[in-house]
Every structure is written in structure tokens, then in C-alpha cells.
Amino acid sequence: MRASLARFLESALLAPVLALALVSTSSAADWDLLIRGGTVVDGTGAPGVLRDVAIRGERIVAVGEALDPARAARVIEARGLIVAPGFIDNHAHVAPTIPDFPLEENFVRQGITTIIASLHSTDQPFPLAPYAASLRMAPNVAFFAGHTWIRKKVMGLHNRAPTAAELESMKSIVDQTMRDGALGLATGLEYVPATYATTEEVIALAKVAAAHGGIYMSHLRNEDVDSLKSIDEIIRIAREARIPVQVNHHKVAGAAQFGLSVKTLATVEAARATGLDVKIDIYPYTAFSTYSDVMFPAWSLAGGSAEFAKRVADPTTRARMETEMVTIFPQQAGNGPASIQFRTLARHPEYNGRTLADYLADRKQPTTIAAAIPALIELQLEGSFDAIFHSMDEADVIRFMKYPGAMFETDGDPIGFGMGFPHPRSYGTFPRVLARYVRDLKVLTLEDAIRRMTSLPADQINQKERGRIREGAFADITIFDAAKVQDLATFTDPHRFPVGIVHVLVNGRPIIRGGALTGEMPGKVLRGPAR
Ligand SMILES: [Zn+2]
């Protein structure tokens, strides 16, 4: 009461003085910025309301009706636009390349103000503290300790259990990374070499993260035929390591698995009913993108490419590999080679964006799984490649999206505009949710979708002063046109920025103004622990 009275008196007494002062210098204004006349959707799920938002320095200092523009050094007119907290991307591959892409343009143009580098499959910057201290970038970022890299560093690509000394060594890297500000531990158990880890190994490492207040994020061991077993595994890790867990990019791939989301979500819900903290995040597309490694049995890749080549050269081993690949193909991809779209085929760049069916047809081969398998082996011998796998059902995507504990991620890469053939998620994820699933299909309300993009993930990583439009919060703000917002990137034309994202602020400073990058780099490294 006293504080608000004091503010009232201050504004009543000083406003004329400040208005005069504005003429000569803007630095004497009460507010650096006033966002005026927009519909504030505050991130909590509450209905949007017409409010003005005043910012001083890094923070929101006032949210109210008809705030006096004369008190602000600058004004953004937001009439007809939504004023939301900045969006939080739960998983993207931004590290360790942030110095190469400090503006993270394909992310921030989606309205993303914080990117979580969960590092479940990519290399972890180590030690984390000096790397984090060296960074300058437009959005905020946060990091995890990444098991895939840690295991590779300690044990190479070998398919075996760690010795006691190796396990201690992995634990000490998790420990140091947590001390350096990581949010928790992340694993990519589908990938070499993490796939060779037992659940017990992950529990041992997750306990280290839990002791620091960390959370655990997982790219599940299997996202297709064994999705349910993989959900059981992450729930066991939650229980035994006593750690909150989050499934990154939850999906059920492969036509035989369509509808399995009903069971995976029921399993998650049953675990939550016992008091475990289990959440998921997703991206709004029916194709995933990853390395070609997922088309091969894990044992065939152990030890690296030279070992793989030796196995291929041995007729008995190759026959076993091919037999298993016939089973793996429809589980990971679709019913034929048209479902695998190359992103980067280093030796045959003319196929970037085209499919394995195109590749076979050009070689006068039948476009069948039987013909695709020798071709995949030949291509793998030339080097692992990135592809887009069209193998999900939108009904599952929608079911995941509606789950109350579901958030969003891009799984995106930093893209040089026009370079390579990326999955459109790198450009379009958040606008696509707002356009297709909120405005067009009405799967989520605008307020609920924004809650899942803002306060829900902010709370998940213990950033209570982000993810909300309220007095005292950091001014991470995305201002967009709900009627016009639209993702434009597609699987045939991926290099398209979305439209309708008008202004984006990070820590009070504009990184997008009027739809254009400002070049400012006010992003911070958000430190853990997450709990
Ligand atoms: Zn992943």
C-alpha cells in the first residue's frame, strides 16, 4: 500500500518534470520502454487483457491500464497485437556453436527468447563455466551435462559397461558441470555410445545431478516399437534417482505404433499419480530428423566407422545386419524409401531434400525396403548422414500437445539462411503451434499454448522471474499478431522465416523490432540448479 502510494505521488509530482526532461534527454524517463495498447497474455494461462507494460533496465516495472507514455523514453504501439512472455525452447542443438550463430536468427524469429541446450545427443562444452562466461548472444541459453559426450570422452564408442573407475570419472564430469551451472543431466539413449549404457549407469549419473538440484532430460532409448518400455525406463530413473524427469520430443514413430500415445501418456499419468515429476515436450510435425545411425542395429556401429566397415565386409555379419534392418526400417521410417528424405548427403549433395526412393529410382532400382537396405549400408560406409523421417501420425502429435504437462521444443539447429536442407522445425515450430494448432484447428486456446511456451518451462527450470508478464519479472517479451502469425517453412521449401512475430525483447532489449533483427545480444546464460 505504502509502495503504491509512494509511486502514485512520485508519478503525480514528477511527471511534468520528466516530460520536460524528455525533450533534452531520454535517460531521465521513468521507463526505458512502454509497450502500449496490446493484449497481454501473461503466461499463466489467465485470459488476455488490454494492458500497457513498462520496462526499466532488464525488468518489467509496471503492468497497468493507460500508463502514461510521457514517462517512457520509447514507446512500442502494440494495439491489435498479443504481448506474451518470450517463448522457451526446451531442446535445440545450439551448443557448442553459439559463437558462430550469436543471433540465433531462425530461433528468435519464432519469438524464442530462451533456448535450452539439453545436449542429449550433441557434444557438451567442457568445462562449462569458461565457455558460458565467454558467450554473447541474442537469446538466453541454458545447458545440461550431456551423457552422450561424457561417455564418449571417458570410454570411447565401446559397447560395454564402464569399469568402476570409468563410472567415477563420468560422475565427476557431471558433478563439475552441475557446479558450473548446468540445469541437470541429459541422455540420448538411442544414440551411440549412450545406447550401450544400462539404466543403472544412468541412475548413478542422475543421482549426481539430483544432489545438485538438477533435473533429468531424455531422448528416450526407443521412440517407436519400444516406446512404452522406454517410458518405463525414464520413470524408473525418476523414482530411483529421486529426480524430476522430462521426455524430450516425445513421439511414437512408425505406422505400427500409431495411437500408442494413449498408452505412453497413461503410463506417464500413472507415474505422476504416485508423486513422481514427469513431463514431456514435443514439436508440432509428423516427421523427425536425425542421423542415419538409427536405421542400423546399435551393435553394428560400436567402435566407430572402421569397425562398421569390417562388419559389412564379413558376409555372415552383414547378413545378420541386413535381416535386422528389414525389421528396423518400418519401425523408424515408413513403409518404403520415400519416407526417408536426405538433409545432407555429403558425397551426393544433389540429393539434399530428395528421398531415398529418388536415389534408388535414379539407379534403376525398385523403390522397396529390400532394395533400400543395401543402399543405406553403402551410404553409411561413405559417412553417417542426416535425414528427415516421415513416420508419425498427427493424431498422436495432437494427443501429446493436449497433455497438461506438455511443452514445446524445436529440436532445431542454428541455420545459416539458405544453407543445407533443414527440417522446417528449425524455422517454424512456435508459429506453427500458434497458427495451425491454436488458430486453425483450435487444439489449444491461445492462453494455454502460451502458458506451455512460457511459465510452464520457466518453472521447470526454476526461472520464476521469467515466463510471465508481471511486475518484477525479466522483460523477455514476444509481441505478435495472432491473426497473421504463420510458419512458412515446409519439407520442400525449408528456408522460410515465419510471419507475424513483430517485436521480441530479451532482458528488456529489442532483438527483433518491427520484424527485423536489431543485432543486439542481450542474452544471458541461465544457471541451474533447476530445483
Ligand atoms: Zn533427440
Side-chain angles (χ1 to χ4, degrees):
M1 194 64 190
R2 282 180 62 184
S4 60
L5 181 62
R7 249 196 317 277
F8 169 76
L9 288 172
E10 183 182 88
S11 64
L13 295 170
L14 298 184
V17 180
L18 287 168
L20 284 173
L22 264 180
V23 177
S24 54
T25 166
S26 58
S27 64
D30 286 359
W31 305 320
D32 296 319
L33 186 63
L34 179 67
I35 302 166
R36 199 171 171 220
T39 297
V40 170
V41 177
D42 70 2
T44 66
V49 284
L50 284 175
R51 289 287 184 274
D52 298 341
V53 179
I55 294 160
R56 187 168 57 225
E58 301 179 329
R59 305 265 184 172
I60 295 169
V61 291
V63 181
E65 291 177 85
L67 299 182
D68 180 4
R71 296 178 63 191
R74 303 182 68 159
V75 174
I76 289 178
E77 293 293 349
R79 210 162 303 277
L81 303 176
I82 302 296
V83 179
F87 305 152
I88 298 176
D89 182 347
N90 275 277
H91 167 63
H93 314 121
V94 292
T97 60
I98 293 167
D100 302 326
F101 298 93
L103 299 180
E104 303 292 359
E105 181 172 14
N106 54 291
F107 295 97
V108 301
R109 281 186 175 276
Q110 300 182 44
I112 293 165
T113 57
T114 293
I115 303 174
I116 299 174
S118 70
L119 298 165
H120 65 223
S121 52
T122 43
D123 284 356
Q124 175 201 317
F126 184 81
L128 179 59
Y131 176 76
S134 73
L135 295 175
R136 286 186 68 230
M137 63 263 147
N140 304 308
V141 293
F143 300 96
F144 274 69
H147 169 244
T148 294
W149 177 83
I150 292 170
R151 198 178 208 272
K152 188 168 65 180
K153 179 177 168 64
V154 172
M155 301 176 57
L157 299 176
H158 298 297
N159 180 4
R160 61 172 174 82
T163 64
E166 285 168 340
L167 185 61
E168 284 311 308
S169 174
M170 288 194 278
K171 283 163 72 175
S172 80
I173 295 176
V174 175
D175 184 70
Q176 185 183 339
T177 308
M178 290 302 300
R179 288 175 198 280
D180 281 357
L183 299 178
L185 173 74
T187 64
L189 295 177
E190 190 171 20
Y191 296 114
V192 173
T195 190
Y196 306 132
T198 60
T199 309
E200 289 75 13
E201 177 181 323
V202 179
I203 289 169
L205 300 178
K207 281 182 176 170
V208 177
H212 288 283
I215 61 173
Y216 170 61
M217 276 191 182
S218 179
H219 174 131
L220 296 180
R221 196 177 288 276
N222 182 287
E223 300 185 319
D224 44 87
V225 69
D226 282 328
S227 292
L228 272 174
K229 273 191 215 163
S230 299
I231 290 281
D232 287 341
E233 182 179 34
I234 192 174
I235 289 168
R236 184 185 156 202
I237 294 164
R239 187 185 307 115
E240 295 191 19
R242 298 172 178 274
I243 192 167
V245 300
Q246 182 173 333
V247 180
N248 276 155
H249 48 60
H250 192 23
K251 65 175 77 73
V252 285
Q257 279 66 248
F258 288 0
L260 193 57
S261 54
V262 173
K263 289 185 179 170
T264 65
L265 290 176
T267 307
V268 168
E269 198 47 42
R272 289 174 65 86
T274 69
L276 296 176
D277 186 345
V278 186
K279 295 193 179 73
I280 68 169
D281 60 60
I282 66 150
Y283 50 79
Y285 294 89
T286 55
F288 65 94
S289 171
T290 192
Y291 317 113
S292 51
D293 295 15
V294 298
M295 301 304 290
F296 295 83
W299 59 262
S300 72
L301 302 167
S305 54
E307 294 297 312
F308 175 77
K310 272 191 221 166
R311 292 183 188 108
V312 171
D314 177 69
T316 312
T317 313
R318 177 175 175 136
R320 181 182 156 207
M321 191 187 301
E322 291 198 4
T323 304
E324 292 188 28
M325 287 176 72
V326 171
T327 306
I328 291 170
F329 194 107
Q331 292 173 353
Q332 286 287 15
N335 293 325
S339 66
I340 298 182
Q341 183 182 10
F342 301 115
R343 279 184 54 183
T344 50
L345 204 50
R347 300 259 185 104
H348 313 274
E350 68 276 19
Y351 285 99
N352 294 354
R354 298 179 67 208
T355 71
L356 183 55
D358 297 330
Y359 181 90
L360 291 167
D362 288 354
R363 282 155 184 76
K364 311 286 183 238
Q365 303 252 339
T367 54
T368 59
I369 290 177
I373 283 166
L376 282 172
I377 292 172
E378 294 315 308
L379 290 171
Q380 188 78 5
L381 287 170
E382 294 177 0
S384 176
F385 57 88
D386 286 339
I388 297 167
F389 301 80
H390 295 266
S391 66
M392 285 132 77
D393 186 26
E394 191 175 32
D396 287 313
V397 173
I398 288 173
R399 196 171 291 120
F400 288 135
M401 192 180 300
K402 289 164 80 168
Y403 183 69
M407 301 170 280
F408 298 104
E409 61 152 277
T410 61
D411 206 353
D413 305 293
I415 308 286
F417 188 77
M419 307 284 285
F421 203 93
H423 188 300
R425 67 194 183 189
S426 291
Y427 282 95
T429 291
F430 286 78
R432 180 171 173 82
V433 172
L434 295 169
R436 179 167 177 79
Y437 296 101
V438 173
R439 187 184 59 223
D440 299 345
L441 299 181
K442 300 186 171 33
V443 170
L444 300 176
T445 64
L446 181 65
E447 286 83 356
D448 191 28
I450 289 175
R451 179 186 68 84
R452 293 158 184 275
M453 295 173 175
T454 58
S455 70
L456 189 59
D459 290 353
Q460 176 76 342
I461 61 170
N462 197 25
Q463 296 286 328
K464 306 270 184 195
E465 297 185 319
R466 300 187 191 272
R468 291 169 178 79
I469 302 284
R470 72 170 178 215
E471 227 177 279
F474 283 101
D476 293 346
I477 298 178
T478 291
I479 302 173
F480 66 96
D481 187 330
K484 291 188 183 148
V485 66
Q486 188 70 53
D487 59 305
L488 297 177
T490 66
F491 289 104
T492 51
D493 186 11
H495 291 286
R496 299 282 297 275
F497 291 117
V499 292
I501 305 290
V502 184
H503 307 285
V504 180
L505 309 179
V506 170
N507 297 314
R509 283 159 60 188
I511 59 169
I512 304 265
R513 186 191 292 128
L517 282 183
T518 64
E520 290 210 51
M521 292 192 272
K524 295 183 180 187
V525 175
L526 307 186
R527 292 177 55 91
R531 295 298 166 87

